[in-house]
Amino acid sequence: MSNHKSTAQIAAMRAAGLIVWQAHQVAAEWARPGITTAEIDAAVETYILAQGAAPLFKGQPGRVPFPATTCISLNDEVVHGIPGARALRAGDIVSIDIGCRLNGWCADAAQTHPVGSIPADRQRLLTTTEGALRLALQMLRPGLRWSVIARRMVQYVEEAGCAMVAASSGLTGHGVGRELHEAPVVPNVVTHHYPDFTLAVGMVIAIEPMVNLGTSRVRQLADGWTIVSQDGSPSAHFEHTIAITAEGPQVLTAGPAGQGWSMPS
Ligand code: MG
């Protein structure tokens, strides 16, 4: 398939992914009570620009172009939250999604942080969502159909008493390359909405489970971007950009020594 990446192209994407990882470390330092989501966004944007990279989300087309470098989604917000004047409070969970382009290549990753100490059910939500991503990473291999992994992720999430966000929301993972969103669509559930595909060496995909503590249903706010759980229950989001290589999956948005929040241990 034409959008499979060479070893050299994957290395270029790794350089972009490392900046995304480092930008997440910047964001994590700021994710504490009293800090506004606009302050986190500004710190991440400054960091990305200082590396000679470009933020990917700013200007993404919608009813209004996305106005910020990061998507920051609090509590019942699933994804695509717009940074602003709201300050974080202890007990919140905050999902931060960051993408950048470096030398023409993209990378994309998200993480949900606890703010201060959080209730046990919210911690279970975070652990479960990150666990679903880790599970997918451990299963990735050439020749496997993606739906096998999606089915297992959903089973894992439901066994933990949580719900994977429904496919009808249109919220999915995706191929990554020169563009933020490339083929294939990588749904988090088994669905007829998108074609199934077979994993192959050279594929680079963003896997991004979105999990709610309550209903799997979501709705969009009047700002044209923010997606919230329909019942107001808390929601979490973890994402890595991952290359399928002959040596196994490579997490392109992991840390310099391969560390990341969802690496196999
Ligand atoms: Mg993504």
Side-chain angles (χ1 to χ4, degrees), residues 108 174 181 206 208 239:
D108 183 15
H174 49 92
H181 295 118
E208 48 179 315
E239 175 183 27

Side-chain angles (χ1 to χ4, degrees), residues 155-224:
Q155 181 189 10
Y156 174 86
V157 163
E158 290 180 352
E159 281 169 1
C162 301
M164 190 74 83
V165 168
S168 56
S169 66
L171 300 172
T172 65
H174 49 92
V176 187
R178 290 196 176 276
E179 300 302 327
L180 170 62
H181 295 118
E182 295 188 352
V185 176
V186 184
N188 293 310
V189 301
V190 178
T191 173
H192 61 268
H193 284 92
Y194 307 102
D196 199 4
F197 63 92
T198 300
L199 294 162
V201 170
M203 274 189 173
V204 181
I205 55 176
I207 302 176
E208 48 179 315
M210 295 157 235
V211 177
N212 296 347
L213 257 184
T215 178
S216 66
R217 296 221 172 104
V218 299
R219 65 187 175 89
Q220 189 176 55
L221 297 187
D223 64 18

